[in-house]
Amino acid sequence: MKTLIALAAIAATTFLLSHRPPVTAIIDGEKAEQKSFGKPDDVREFPKGKVELIKIGNATVGRATFLPGWKWSESVQPLSKTKSCEAPHYQYHVSGELMVKTDDGTVFHCKPGDVVLLPMGHDAWVVGTEPAVIVDFQGMLDYAKTK
């Protein structure tokens, strides 16, 4: 029985590790840094939303603000010219609510405090009357860039 439990734990760990986003390691010799979204390195605005980007170390972190009525397929799709959002996301939901529907039909209702991992291929929209604010640790580098 103990062997079966150990094998199940190893299988679960292997599965979880194989489905996490790649981790960008801190390079030896890098210095400590601190940056603020109060002074982002880049801001991209689009209908009913914006993304503020900070480059820190060898990573880019984005803070997205989506106003009520925002929907990816209406606000960002005309810029990206793709069927659905092709950016994978690893994000923390700060405020507001967002619905996400993946191309395979999976639906997520994201609320403040949620951490979400999204693969390429999805649409999203704000639910309710409060702006949705999200901090994204993967997937904002090329978000809302004109193609």
Side-chain angles (χ1 to χ4, degrees), residues 80-124:
S80 69
K81 297 181 178 22
T82 58
K83 178 184 151 227
S84 57
C85 181
E86 293 183 354
H89 300 284
Y90 184 51
Q91 53 194 205
Y92 173 72
H93 291 257
V94 178
S95 62
E97 296 185 26
L98 201 65
M99 291 295 291
V100 179
K101 184 176 182 182
T102 63
D103 288 353
D104 70 5
T106 305
V107 177
F108 296 95
H109 186 173
C110 306
K111 298 176 183 176
D114 288 349
V115 176
V116 180
L117 177 63
L118 294 173
M120 295 172 58
H122 54 272
D123 194 3

Side-chain angles (χ1 to χ4, degrees), residues 16-57:
L16 291 172
L17 290 175
S18 69
H19 287 81
R20 68 179 181 176
V23 176
T24 305
I26 295 176
I27 299 171
D28 288 337
E30 277 189 321
K31 295 181 180 179
E33 278 185 80
Q34 180 178 1
K35 288 197 166 182
S36 169
F37 281 113
K39 293 183 180 180
D41 296 314
D42 189 14
V43 177
R44 297 186 194 137
E45 295 187 7
F46 41 86
K48 299 183 182 177
K50 68 178 177 179
V51 171
E52 300 158 292
L53 300 169
I54 291 177
K55 295 174 185 164
I56 187 161

Side-chain angles (χ1 to χ4, degrees), residues 46-48 66-78 98 123-126 143:
F46 41 86
K48 299 183 182 177
F66 305 124
L67 301 177
W70 175 86
K71 187 172 184 178
W72 183 89
S73 55
E74 297 169 2
S75 297
V76 182
Q77 192 278 336
L98 201 65
D123 194 3
W125 56 94
V126 172
Y143 194 85

